[in-house]
Amino acid sequence: MSIDAQSVLNETFVLNLGPQHPATHGVLRIKLTMDGEYIVDAEPVIGYGHRMHEKMGENRSYAKFLPNTGRIDYVAALFNGHGYVGAVERLAGITVPERAEYIRVITSELNRVASHLLWLGAFLVDLGGFTPLLYCFDDREQILDLLESVTGARLTFCYYRFGGVCNDIDDDFVAGTRSFITRLRSRMPMYDAFVTKNIIFRKRVEGIGLISAETCRKYGATGPVIRGSGVSYDVRKVEPYSVYLKFNFDIPSFTECDCMARYKVRIEEMVQSMRIIEQALDSLPAGPIMAEKVPRTLKLAKGDCYYNVESARGSFGVRVVSDGSENAYRLKLRSPCFSNMSLFRECSAGMLLPDALALLGSFDLVIPDIDR
Amino acid sequence: MTNTVVWSLIYLLAFLLAGLVIGLGAMVMAWLLAPKRTRTVYQKTLRSIECGVAPIGHAWIRYGVVYYLYALIFVAFSVDVLFLFPVALVYNETPGWLDFGEVLLFVGILALVIVYAWKKGVFSWKSKLKSPQA
Amino acid sequence: MKILPLKSKFEAIAVRGTPAPVVGAEAGAPVPLVNETPHATKGIDLDVTVSAERVVEAVKILDEANWMLEAITGVDWLAERQFEVVYDFTHVDSGERVTVRVRISRDKPELPTISHIYGGANWHERETHDFFGIIFLGHPQLIPLLLPEDARFHPLRKDFTA
Amino acid sequence: MEKQVEVPPGLIHFAMLDDVLNMARANSLWPMTFGLACCAIEMMATGASRFDMARFGCEVFRPSPRQSDLMIVSGTISRKMAPAVVTLYDQMPEPKWVLAMGNCAISGGPFKFPGQYGIVEGVDKLIPVDVYVPGCPPRPEALIEGILTLEEKLRGKRCFPTVEAR
C-alpha cells in the first residue's frame, strides 16, 4: 500500500499548544487538531490573561485609570497611554501644548523601536535561534535607560497626563537619544547580515503564513500584519493625530504577504521611527508641557468619542462613553492583537506545525493585549 | 589460557562491572537521597504534560506512517555506525589506502538506503489534507 | 470622501423600511438616523443608528464598499432598559470611520450575527456575549471567549455584583 | 492544603550530606519559563545579557515542569489559569520552590478591587510560596535579589554581598 493511500486512514489527535508554552509569549492556548505534522484545525482559546481592564475603566475615575493603560500592552505601553489620554482630551476638548505633543511623539517612537527589538529577539527564539535575543535585549536596555530617566518606569509607563506629560525631557535625554540612534544605525547592518541573510531563517519564513489583504480586511487585522500584505494602512498617515503631520517618514509595506514581509516591515519601521525621532528632536519647540486649567477631577460631557493611535502592533483604539459623571460609563479598548489573532484559525489550516509557530511569531502577540 | 588472555578477560570484566556500577549506582543514590514525597495540591503529578491542561483524547491512535519510516532509517544508520567501531580499532595496521577504500565501500553501500527512501518519498511529509485534493 | 455614496445608501434603507421607533431617538424620526459628525471632536465621520433587523443589510453595504470592521462594543443603558451595540468600521485608504449603532431591549437581548460577512466579528460577538449576555442569532460558536468555559455571569452589566 | 513549605527529606539524611545537597541545589536552580504577563518581560530582561541571572546559577530556562526545580510565577493568575498553575506545580519533581514575582502573584496587585471577578488574589492561595519579590514589575535587580534570598534560604547563609542601603 503506497504512502498516500496509507495516510488517508490516519486519525487526527488533539494537541494543546497550551497556556504555558515558550512559543506563545504568554498564556495563549491553541487546541490543535493534528494529522501527523499537519494542522487540521487550530482553535485559539484565549482568556487566560484576562485582567478586567474595561471593568476597571468603569469603576474608577479617569485619572485613576492611567496606570492601567501601561499594563494592557506592556511591551509598547506608551501607545495605550496615548490612545486613552487622546480619547479623554478629545471628549473634554483639552488642547495639548506643542512641546508636549513633540515629547509624546519622541517617547512613543522610542517605545516602538524597543517593542520591535523585543519582537525580533522573541521571534528568532521561536524559530530556534537564541543568540539574537541577547543582542536585541542589549539594544533595548539602552532605550529603557533613556525612558526610565524621563518616565521613571522601565516597562509599564504612566507618563502621559490629560493635557500633556508629567515630566519634561532635559538635555542629556536628548543627547542620549541621539547617541542611541547613531549606535543602533551602526548595528542595523549587523542585524541584516546576521539574521536577514541567514539561509536557515529565510527557509523558515519565506513563503510561510500567507495572509491575503482581503483576509486582513475581513478580520480587521492592522499594523505590520496588513502592511505585510501590501496595504500600507498606518493610522499616523491615514488618520493623522498628534503632530505626525509635521514629520516626513514613509510607511513600509511589502506585497509578499508572508512572514518575511512582516519581518521586513518591522525592521524598516525601526529605521523610520529613528527618522521621526531625529526630526522631532531637531524641531523640538520650547514652552509649557501641560495645558493650563485642566480640572483635577475631570467630568466629561455626555456622549462618546473614539480615538485611535498606531501602536507597535496595529491600530489601538479607545471608545469612551461618558454620562457626565467622573467615571467613564463605558470604556472600550480596541486592541490590535485581538483582531490580528482572530485570523490565525483560518490561515493556519493545513500548515505544518513549525510553520504555524513562525506565523504566530510574526503576529508579535502580547497576550494581555488580546485578553485585556 | 595464556597470561594475556586472562588479563584481557579481567579487563573486559572490569569494564562491564564499571558500566553496571555507574548505571545502577546512580539510580540507587537517587533512590536513597531524593525526597520521598512530592508536594502536590491536585495530585496530578503523574499526568502527562500538556502545557498545564488536561490532554484531550488518548495517544493510542493510528497516526501517520512517516514517523515509523524515519525511525527505520535511524536504526539502519545506527547499526552502520556500530560496525565502524571495530574498524576504528584496527584502522592503521596496514599502510596505504586499502583500509580507507574498504570503509568508503562499506558506508557507500549503506548510503543507498537514503537514495531508496528519497525515491519512495519518505522525506517529503505527505499529509492526509494534501493527498485527497492533489 | 468615501462616505458620501454610503450616506445615500443608508438613507435608502430608511425609506423602504417602516419607521420602527428607535427608543432614545426623537419619536417619529426615520430609521436609520444618519448624521455626519466632525472627525476632530467625535472621531467618527458617519454615525448611523439602525434597528435590529437592518443590521445585516447595513453591514452588507459597508462590506461591498470594502470597509474594515474595527470593533463591536456593547453598552448597557440600564436606565432605559436597553443594550446598545456599536459596530466600528474604517476604510484603509481614506481613514474615515463609520459607526453603526443598534439598540435592543435589555430583557430579550437578541441580534442577528454578522460573522458570516466579517470573519473578525466572530470573536468580537463572543466577547460582547461574554460581557453583556447579548445573544447573536446564528453565531457558530457562542461560548465564553475571555471568561472561563463554565462562566454564566456577565460582568459588564451595570447590575452585576461579583 | 497544608502549608508545609520545606522540602520533604530523603530516605537517609544527615547534616553534612544535607549541606552538600542544599549547596548543590542552591547553585543550580533551573527556573521554568512561566511568563504570565508584564513581569515575564522583566524576567526575560533578567535572563538576557545585561542583568544575567546565570551568574547566580539560574542559567537554564526549562520549558517543561519535569526538568525545572524553580517556578517563577511572573504575572497575574486569572481564574481561568489557576488550575493550569496548580497542575504545573504538581508535575514538578521534588525538590521544588516557588518564587512569586510581582504584586499580581503576591496579592493580586493593581487588579484587586472590590467586585473583581477574574483573578486569583495571590499565588499563595493555590500553592506554597518560598520567596516573594514585590514590584510592578519588579526590576531585574529585585528578581536577582529574590533568587539570592532563595539561595540563602537553601544554604542557610548568604555568600553574595548584600546591597547596603546608602
Side-chain angles (χ1 to χ4, degrees), chain A residues 273-299:
Chain A
S273 289
M274 286 192 278
R275 264 179 71 193
I276 296 174
I277 295 170
E278 257 172 353
Q279 289 169 36
L281 285 178
D282 298 344
S283 59
L284 184 64
I289 55 166
M290 269 297 272
E292 284 78 25
K293 34 189 179 15
V294 177
R296 181 151 295 284
T297 63
L298 213 56
K299 278 195 166 51

Side-chain angles (χ1 to χ4, degrees), chain A residues 40-51:
Chain A
V40 173
D41 171 38
E43 188 217 341
V45 179
I46 57 175
Y48 290 93
H50 175 54
R51 306 199 283 189

Side-chain angles (χ1 to χ4, degrees), chain A residues 225-350:
Chain A
V225 177
I226 198 168
R227 287 197 286 277
S229 310
V231 179
S232 71
Y233 169 71
D234 187 317
V235 180
R236 294 174 295 180
K237 277 280 196 230
V238 165
E239 213 179 327
Y241 59 98
S242 182
V243 281
Y244 277 105
L245 278 179
K246 293 195 168 64
F247 311 120
N248 58 52
F249 59 97
D250 38 29
I251 302 301
S253 82
F254 297 88
T255 55
E256 294 97 352
C257 307
D258 60 0
C259 291
M260 189 56 164
R262 291 184 280 277
Y263 168 87
K264 283 192 280 187
V265 161
R266 289 198 182 92
I267 297 292
E268 187 52 32
E269 256 180 27
M270 281 203 273
V271 174
Q272 295 303 326
S273 289
M274 286 192 278
R275 264 179 71 193
I276 296 174
I277 295 170
E278 257 172 353
Q279 289 169 36
L281 285 178
D282 298 344
S283 59
L284 184 64
I289 55 166
M290 269 297 272
E292 284 78 25
K293 34 189 179 15
V294 177
R296 181 151 295 284
T297 63
L298 213 56
K299 278 195 166 51
L300 297 184
K302 225 192 248 286
D304 69 352
C305 86
Y306 191 87
Y307 188 91
N308 69 339
V309 292
E310 179 63 31
S311 152
R313 279 152 196 77
S315 102
F316 173 78
V318 174
R319 170 179 290 281
V320 179
V321 180
S322 98
D323 63 348
S325 73
E326 59 184 36
N327 294 7
Y329 188 76
R330 168 78 165 108
L331 184 73
K332 166 72 183 178
L333 305 167
R334 189 265 174 200
S335 71
C337 285
F338 186 82
S339 306
N340 293 355
M341 185 63 198
S342 59
L343 56 84
F344 179 76
R345 187 170 195 173
E346 186 180 309
C347 295
S348 69

Side-chain angles (χ1 to χ4, degrees), chain B residues 55-130:
Chain B
I56 300 159
H58 51 77
W60 286 92
I61 57 163
R62 308 158 51 112
Y63 47 83
V65 77
V66 266
Y67 294 106
Y68 176 63
L69 296 172
Y70 251 78
L72 272 190
I73 291 175
F74 166 73
V75 164
F77 275 93
S78 56
V79 167
D80 171 11
V81 165
L82 203 62
F83 287 133
L84 289 183
F85 272 119
V87 168
L89 284 182
V90 295
Y91 187 64
N92 289 346
E93 255 76 36
T94 60
W97 291 89
L98 190 60
D99 304 346
F100 182 66
E102 275 170 19
V103 168
L104 216 58
L105 188 65
F106 176 72
V107 171
I109 290 169
L110 279 170
L112 291 181
V113 171
I114 290 190
V115 175
Y116 172 71
W118 208 317
K119 280 289 163 289
K120 291 295 279 185
V122 168
F123 292 118
S124 65
W125 288 87
K126 274 283 179 292
S127 122
K128 178 169 86 172
L129 292 164
K130 298 235 172 5

Side-chain angles (χ1 to χ4, degrees), chain A residues 39-73:
Chain A
I39 295 176
V40 173
D41 171 38
E43 188 217 341
V45 179
I46 57 175
Y48 290 93
H50 175 54
R51 306 199 283 189
M52 310 166 285
H53 282 291
E54 291 175 1
K55 177 77 176 173
M56 292 171 83
E58 285 172 14
N59 58 22
R60 58 196 58 220
S61 73
Y62 289 103
K64 285 206 184 99
F65 188 74
L66 280 169
N68 276 56
T69 58
R71 286 157 178 83
I72 301 168
D73 170 3

Side-chain angles (χ1 to χ4, degrees), chain A residues 80-367:
Chain A
N80 310 327
H82 200 165
Y84 174 68
V85 160
V88 174
E89 279 159 5
R90 176 172 274 178
L91 202 54
I94 304 169
T95 59
V96 183
E98 194 70 10
R99 183 176 173 86
E101 286 288 4
Y102 271 72
I103 294 175
R104 281 186 184 173
V105 165
I106 294 169
T107 45
S108 291
E109 291 308 320
L110 272 176
N111 204 323
R112 186 192 307 275
V113 175
S115 162
H116 283 335
L117 282 170
L118 185 127
W119 161 80
L120 182 58
F123 182 46
L124 291 156
V125 167
D126 287 356
L127 301 180
F130 185 74
T131 330
L133 177 94
L134 303 176
Y135 284 85
C136 297
F137 265 76
D138 179 21
D139 286 337
R140 186 169 167 269
E141 291 290 340
Q142 314 275 334
I143 303 180
L144 295 190
D145 288 347
L146 288 170
L147 288 177
E148 189 189 353
S149 67
V150 172
T151 63
R154 277 170 55 89
L155 193 70
T156 53
F157 305 107
C158 176
Y159 178 46
Y160 299 150
R161 297 290 181 276
F162 305 128
V165 287
C166 69
N167 193 356
D168 203 345
I169 58 176
D170 43 22
D171 292 341
D172 46 20
F173 173 84
V174 174
T177 313
R178 287 194 198 283
S179 66
F180 161 73
I181 286 179
T182 45
R183 179 176 183 275
L184 187 59
R185 278 220 177 94
S186 65
R187 284 168 67 103
M188 289 310 268
M190 174 196 75
Y191 282 125
D192 190 51
F194 190 16
V195 176
T196 316
K197 295 192 172 54
N198 181 330
I199 187 65
I200 303 169
F201 171 73
R202 293 160 67 92
K203 274 277 181 286
R204 282 295 302 275
V205 281
E206 268 168 3
I208 308 281
L210 300 172
I211 303 175
S212 67
E214 184 58 15
T215 318
C216 285
R217 183 183 73 80
K218 287 283 185 184
Y219 281 88
T222 54
V225 177
I226 198 168
R227 287 197 286 277
S229 310
V231 179
S232 71
Y233 169 71
D234 187 317
V235 180
R236 294 174 295 180
K237 277 280 196 230
V238 165
E239 213 179 327
Y241 59 98
S242 182
V243 281
Y244 277 105
L245 278 179
K246 293 195 168 64
F247 311 120
N248 58 52
F249 59 97
D250 38 29
I251 302 301
S253 82
F254 297 88
T255 55
E256 294 97 352
C257 307
D258 60 0
C259 291
M260 189 56 164
R262 291 184 280 277
Y263 168 87
K264 283 192 280 187
V265 161
R266 289 198 182 92
I267 297 292
E268 187 52 32
E269 256 180 27
M270 281 203 273
V271 174
Q272 295 303 326
S273 289
M274 286 192 278
R275 264 179 71 193
I276 296 174
I277 295 170
E278 257 172 353
Q279 289 169 36
L281 285 178
D282 298 344
S283 59
L284 184 64
I289 55 166
M290 269 297 272
E292 284 78 25
K293 34 189 179 15
V294 177
R296 181 151 295 284
T297 63
L298 213 56
K299 278 195 166 51
L300 297 184
K302 225 192 248 286
D304 69 352
C305 86
Y306 191 87
Y307 188 91
N308 69 339
V309 292
E310 179 63 31
S311 152
R313 279 152 196 77
S315 102
F316 173 78
V318 174
R319 170 179 290 281
V320 179
V321 180
S322 98
D323 63 348
S325 73
E326 59 184 36
N327 294 7
Y329 188 76
R330 168 78 165 108
L331 184 73
K332 166 72 183 178
L333 305 167
R334 189 265 174 200
S335 71
C337 285
F338 186 82
S339 306
N340 293 355
M341 185 63 198
S342 59
L343 56 84
F344 179 76
R345 187 170 195 173
E346 186 180 309
C347 295
S348 69
M351 282 172 82
L352 274 165
L353 184 54
D355 295 345
L357 287 181
L359 172 67
L360 205 59
S362 77
F363 282 159
D364 186 6
L365 293 176
V366 173
I367 306 309

Side-chain angles (χ1 to χ4, degrees), chain A residues 28-29 43-48 50 54-55 58 90-91 214 216-222 226 231-235 238-239 302-308 315 317 319 321-323 328-334 337-339 341-342 345-346 370-372, chain C residues 39-44 47 62-63 65-79 86-88 90-97 99 101 116-121 123-124 126-127 131-132 141 143 145-147 149 155-158 160:
Chain A
L28 163 76
R29 173 178 163 214
E43 188 217 341
V45 179
I46 57 175
Y48 290 93
H50 175 54
E54 291 175 1
K55 177 77 176 173
E58 285 172 14
R90 176 172 274 178
L91 202 54
E214 184 58 15
C216 285
R217 183 183 73 80
K218 287 283 185 184
Y219 281 88
T222 54
I226 198 168
V231 179
S232 71
Y233 169 71
D234 187 317
V235 180
V238 165
E239 213 179 327
K302 225 192 248 286
D304 69 352
C305 86
Y306 191 87
Y307 188 91
N308 69 339
S315 102
R319 170 179 290 281
V321 180
S322 98
D323 63 348
Y329 188 76
R330 168 78 165 108
L331 184 73
K332 166 72 183 178
L333 305 167
R334 189 265 174 200
C337 285
F338 186 82
S339 306
M341 185 63 198
S342 59
R345 187 170 195 173
E346 186 180 309
I370 297 179
D371 302 341
R372 286 179 307 274
Chain C
H39 196 96
T41 61
K42 297 286 278 181
I44 313 163
D47 194 332
L62 285 159
D63 184 31
N66 272 332
W67 285 70
M68 172 157 77
L69 174 69
E70 286 262 347
I72 297 180
T73 320
V75 185
D76 174 10
W77 297 102
L78 187 60
V86 184
Y87 298 78
D88 281 307
T90 182
H91 200 285
V92 283
D93 303 336
S94 67
E96 285 150 327
R97 288 197 166 281
T99 309
R101 295 172 192 274
H116 50 284
I117 306 169
Y118 278 97
W123 272 19
H124 287 296
R126 273 177 69 186
E127 182 198 342
F131 287 155
F132 293 95
Q141 191 194 16
I143 53 173
L145 178 74
L146 295 181
L147 299 178
E149 279 81 9
L156 280 188
R157 284 189 175 186
K158 287 298 175 190
F160 168 76

